[in-house]
Amino acid sequence: MAAPVEHPEEHLPERHKRWFWERLVRVTAVFFVLWTVIAVWWHIPAPHAWRNVLLFGNMPLPWYLAAFISIWAGVLMIFVYHWVMSRVEGELLARAVQDWDQLPEDVKLSLRLAGATPSGAQH
Amino acid sequence: MRVHPEVYRVLIPSILGYVVLIFILAALFGPRVAAGWMVVGSILMYIAIAYVARGTTAHAMYLAERRIPPVINGAATAADWMSAASFLSMAGAIALLGYDGLPYIIGWTLGYTIHAFFIAPYVRKSNTWTVPDLVETRAGGYGPARVIAVIMLFITSLTYLTAQLVGAGVVFSRFLGIPAQVGVFGALFGMGIYAASGGWKSITWTQFAQYIVLIVAYVGAAFLVATLVGIWKPLPWFGYGELIQALQSRESQQGLAPWTTPFAKPLGGAAGQLNWILSALLLMLGTIGLPHILIRSYTTPTASAARLSVGWALFFIGLLYCTAPMYAAMARYAFSGLWGRPIAEVQAVPWVAKFLPTGLIRINDANGDGILQAAELVFHGDIVVIGMPDMWNLAWWIAPFVAVGGLAAALSTADGLLMVMVTGITRDIYHRFINPNVSEETEVRMTRVLVMVLSVAASFLAFLAIQDPRFALYVALLVGWAFVFAAASFTPAVVLGTFWKRLNRYGIVWGMVAGMATALPYVLAVGVFQAPPLYLFGQPVGTIAWGCIAFAVNLVVSVVVSLLTQPEGEAVMRFVDRMRLPELVRVPAVAGASQEAEERQ
């Protein structure tokens, strides 16, 4: 008789694993490019071209980009990334459950114990 | 469901009891006695929390039972991260360097964003116990990889720890009236006891309390001053531009370049835009390679929680880091108010009179006209935060409370560093190479003893640092270079280890060695022996910025050596696959059994 496994994801069909990893790399690459904007790119023109731009009527923009905006853009980016990746992870589970008949018995048992079955996948 | 419910039962009463006790002492014995007990009482509070949260198993000591929720882990990470340098010195550096000090702000924050993208979930999913353990497992069980990782870990962490104890010693000295050399051993007492009581489980909960203390102290004092200067528009973070404009107008009257002028002052031995960008980038790359930050990903329940925890960590860190430039502006504005006044009058200003004997403020009437010019007033960066309550004449309890915040910052970071090094000895060397069959009781006992031994060793180094100003200078420099060494050693190995399967044991080892061999000589030559910096694209490259070159060398060597040698086997490929996949579901019964198995390891 099959026993449940702790990490059913490791026993998924290869195509699901590959799908997840490709999606993860694509999402991460997009976020990484956005990160280079707040970490590097916008600090290059800022001290020269935007030197006389004032935010809120008195705050020099190059200063505020480095001292405030970049930090909170970085925080926001992590939470948005987490939200996107959680959805991708949820989709992986949904794909696994869709292929229920092709899953090994121990994986099915694990998913069933966690409440993820073809009739109602949970994550 | 709450994890570690015993801690919640003591956390709030401890904090409330501490506050009530201080006010009772103030009413009975006056502010001076209360200020002293504010410092001592905070340590007793941390010890109480650590005692209740104490761990008795290796699983609790090394991993906090992997049960810390993301928000709590984020706050603990923030406390782990924000050291005495962040709390006491960073605002001072910005006050002195202006725009050229801002790489510290973005460099020490935005690393967390890529930490969430490239590091945290994978480190957690690896199910390893320590960073050297992760390096060795990724290197296919190649022992030398673990040994080199432990050496790198010690190089990075010991100097950093010494500087934290110096910071704590200075706080003790200022508020208990004892010599700073003695103060460092007071810090040892607090730090050693609660680190020894329960390893990461105790430290995590204590760091959570320390975060609350340090952030309330730091932001609270800044907001009070913001009220006095009227920059709530609608929050001080958006309104202090007015102070900058007023300050720069005073500077132009004194013939000074405006404070926000870019690339006017050197950072890490060089000035210029390339140095500014590379320095910030290096601090980001170093952040994600620091072992005491990497290890925080192990204490969350899942990989997803580890990723979310990094978001909370940066949120909590951001609160302090976006307040630091405001501190800098307010302090510089306060100093600029002294310019153009008779020197005798300036010396009689209460807060100036208080800090003149300490050497944190120096006045020299260079032209002999009896009037203070901007260039005749020099201040030490540390006064910006510590002296703020005095500069703006805040209530008596604000200054010691800010000091308690500084102490919390120093101790919380010191604990993380201490535990990482102890784990390096007990788990990574003793358990792995010397006595794999060591009983759990012996390992836990050994950990406790080593925490105390290393505490004493680090305190002694801090004692030397305070006694010899040259030694102190090198310690301060080495803290900055810790980031260079972390970026040159761990960061490429951990990122490539997940994202490039072809990386093998030889690539990992030779990459780390080449990165360090690139970083160390340049740091010694330019930083210690004052050699002129090298030029890149016609611009000078300082010691911190040089870390980017060392990082790139590590990356290239890792790739080239891996391609020239045999790939790792099937076991490593499975390990990488495991790191890459998320936990699909959490099966309670299996997870519980797995945790028991892990505890028995």
Side-chain angles (χ1 to χ4, degrees):
Chain A
M1 186 184 156
V5 288
E6 186 185 7
H7 296 292
E9 64 275 4
E10 290 169 21
H11 306 273
L12 291 179
E14 276 306 315
R15 68 175 189 285
H16 289 331
K17 292 184 189 174
R18 209 169 34 249
W19 171 85
F20 174 77
W21 183 245
E22 284 168 3
R23 183 60 67 91
L24 181 146
V25 169
R26 205 178 313 149
V27 169
T28 307
V30 169
F31 275 83
F32 178 65
V33 169
L34 292 174
W35 174 84
T36 64
V37 173
I38 64 165
V40 178
W41 298 121
W42 72 19
H43 301 293
I44 293 176
H48 309 292
W50 305 335
R51 192 171 170 182
N52 296 319
V53 179
L54 297 177
L55 280 186
F56 313 115
N58 51 41
M59 186 74 79
L61 179 58
W63 176 277
Y64 212 53
L65 275 180
F68 191 90
I69 297 173
S70 290
I71 298 173
W72 295 106
V75 174
L76 184 67
M77 213 175 265
I78 298 177
F79 284 113
V80 175
Y81 178 76
H82 177 75
W83 180 74
V84 173
M85 283 310 303
S86 296
R87 287 177 67 93
V88 174
E89 288 161 10
E91 201 177 330
L92 176 66
L93 176 61
R95 282 171 175 255
V97 172
Q98 268 176 9
D99 283 350
W100 189 259
D101 295 337
Q102 297 169 32
L103 297 177
E105 281 308 312
D106 50 2
V107 173
K108 283 186 195 173
L109 187 54
S110 298
L111 294 180
R112 209 176 285 129
L113 282 172
T117 59
S119 53
Q122 290 175 12
H123 186 235
Chain B
M1 188 186 75
R2 280 179 170 175
V3 292
H4 303 150
E6 71 279 12
V7 183
Y8 286 95
R9 278 198 290 274
V10 80
L11 200 63
I12 304 297
S14 292
I15 294 174
L16 289 178
Y18 169 66
V19 173
V20 170
L21 180 73
I22 297 305
F23 278 97
I24 290 174
L25 285 172
L28 293 178
F29 302 105
R32 191 171 168 77
V33 172
W37 276 98
M38 208 182 262
V39 175
V40 176
S42 70
I43 293 185
L44 295 177
M45 177 176 71
Y46 304 144
I47 291 174
I49 293 169
Y51 179 76
V52 173
R54 70 192 180 279
T56 51
T57 63
H59 199 245
M61 293 290 272
Y62 294 136
L63 303 168
E65 297 166 346
R66 297 202 202 269
R67 288 170 64 194
I68 307 295
V71 178
I72 305 286
N73 202 62
T77 307
D80 206 4
W81 171 248
M82 291 188 289
S83 60
S86 292
F87 193 98
L88 297 175
S89 308
M90 189 175 60
I94 297 165
L96 293 168
L97 296 173
Y99 186 82
D100 296 316
L102 292 182
Y104 288 119
I105 297 290
I106 56 169
W108 282 343
T109 50
L110 290 182
Y112 280 90
T113 310
I114 44 175
H115 186 49
F117 298 167
F118 295 114
I119 308 265
Y122 311 108
V123 168
R124 173 61 189 88
K125 192 70 198 319
S126 74
N127 258 5
T128 51
W129 282 46
T130 66
V131 178
D133 186 15
L134 170 64
V135 171
E136 185 193 354
T137 310
R138 180 59 185 81
Y142 185 51
R146 185 189 286 250
V147 174
I148 287 176
V150 171
I151 293 170
M152 303 286 174
L153 180 151
F154 263 81
I155 291 174
T156 309
S157 303
L158 190 58
T159 47
Y160 212 129
L161 175 60
T162 306
Q164 299 316 307
L165 292 175
V166 170
V170 170
V171 172
F172 268 103
S173 153
R174 180 160 148 68
F175 289 95
L176 294 182
I178 56 175
Q181 291 94 323
V182 180
V184 294
F185 291 98
L188 146 82
F189 172 76
M191 176 187 66
I193 285 200
Y194 60 78
S197 66
W200 278 112
K201 189 181 167 198
S202 284
I203 289 174
T204 300
W205 285 104
T206 314
Q207 283 174 335
F208 175 64
Q210 284 166 332
Y211 176 76
I212 294 171
V213 169
L214 76 89
I215 202 67
V216 171
Y218 198 86
V219 178
F223 276 20
L224 285 175
V225 176
T227 307
L228 293 176
V229 294
I231 55 170
W232 281 79
K233 293 176 179 176
L235 287 168
W237 294 308
F238 309 118
Y240 74 94
E242 271 183 22
L243 286 188
I244 293 180
Q245 300 304 335
L247 165 67
Q248 297 194 147
S249 152
R250 289 174 179 174
E251 284 174 328
S252 66
Q253 285 168 16
Q254 290 280 324
L256 296 177
W259 184 49
T260 56
T261 303
F263 321 128
K265 299 188 179 77
L267 179 68
Q273 185 161 29
L274 183 68
N275 185 61
W276 195 99
I277 299 271
L278 288 183
S279 296
L281 202 54
L282 181 277
L283 293 175
M284 295 170 207
L285 294 171
T287 300
I288 61 177
L290 283 175
H292 71 289
I293 298 303
L294 285 171
I295 206 162
R296 294 260 31 142
S297 298
Y298 287 119
T299 53
T300 55
T302 62
S304 171
R307 187 174 59 216
L308 185 58
S309 157
V310 178
W312 285 113
L314 185 54
F315 174 83
F316 292 128
I317 291 166
L319 287 176
L320 189 142
Y321 273 58
C322 71
T323 308
M326 198 168 89
Y327 260 101
M330 292 190 298
R332 216 171 159 84
Y333 180 73
F335 276 107
S336 70
L338 303 173
W339 300 340
R341 290 168 64 180
I343 287 184
E345 188 184 309
V346 170
Q347 286 172 330
V349 171
W351 61 272
V352 176
K354 180 176 179 179
F355 287 109
L356 271 175
T358 64
L360 292 174
I361 297 177
R362 286 201 306 275
I363 292 175
N364 173 31
D365 189 9
N367 61 4
D369 66 351
I371 302 294
L372 184 70
Q373 312 299 324
E376 293 170 342
L377 173 69
V378 179
F379 64 92
H380 189 283
D382 283 357
I383 198 176
V384 167
V385 173
I386 278 194
M388 187 65 68
D390 296 304
M391 283 181 209
W392 298 93
N393 202 22
L394 300 181
W396 69 267
W397 54 273
I398 303 287
F401 188 50
V402 169
V404 167
L407 188 64
L411 292 184
S412 56
T413 306
D415 275 329
L417 293 162
L418 188 64
M419 201 56 208
V420 155
M421 286 191 290
V422 169
T423 307
I425 298 172
T426 55
R427 189 81 194 173
D428 291 314
I429 299 296
Y430 187 78
H431 184 112
R432 165 70 178 83
F433 295 110
I434 299 171
N435 185 6
N437 298 318
V438 61
S439 71
E440 186 173 19
E441 290 76 16
T442 308
E443 198 174 339
V444 168
R445 206 177 312 125
M446 214 176 131
T447 302
R448 289 191 167 132
V449 172
L450 268 174
V451 164
M452 297 310 292
V453 171
L454 265 181
S455 300
V456 173
S459 296
F460 186 67
L461 285 175
F463 172 79
L464 292 177
I466 289 175
Q467 278 205 318
D468 183 349
R470 283 173 308 163
F471 189 81
L473 173 71
Y474 290 135
V475 168
L477 288 171
L478 279 167
V479 166
W481 298 334
F483 289 84
V484 175
F485 300 144
S489 54
F490 287 116
T491 306
V494 177
V495 176
L496 280 181
T498 308
F499 283 81
W500 193 49
K501 278 187 170 178
R502 186 64 180 79
L503 180 75
N504 67 9
R505 62 190 65 187
Y506 306 110
I508 292 172
V509 168
W510 283 106
M512 288 201 286
V513 170
M516 195 59 94
T518 308
L520 200 55
Y522 192 80
V523 161
L524 289 175
V526 177
V528 179
F529 299 110
Q530 307 295 314
L534 294 177
Y535 279 68
L536 204 61
F537 307 114
Q539 294 196 43
V541 179
T543 49
I544 295 177
W546 182 257
C548 288
I549 311 293
F551 169 83
V553 167
N554 180 333
L555 212 60
V556 170
V557 170
S558 295
V559 170
V560 171
V561 171
S562 294
L563 289 175
L564 292 176
T565 47
Q566 285 290 317
E568 292 296 339
E570 194 54 36
V572 170
M573 297 305 120
R574 275 202 305 275
F575 175 70
V576 176
D577 280 338
R578 186 192 308 150
M579 282 203 292
R580 289 175 168 187
L581 287 166
E583 291 101 344
L584 264 192
V585 290
R586 191 162 169 78
V587 188
V590 185
S594 160
Q595 182 168 323
E596 281 172 26
E598 201 173 49
E599 284 171 15
R600 284 196 299 273
Q601 276 182 31

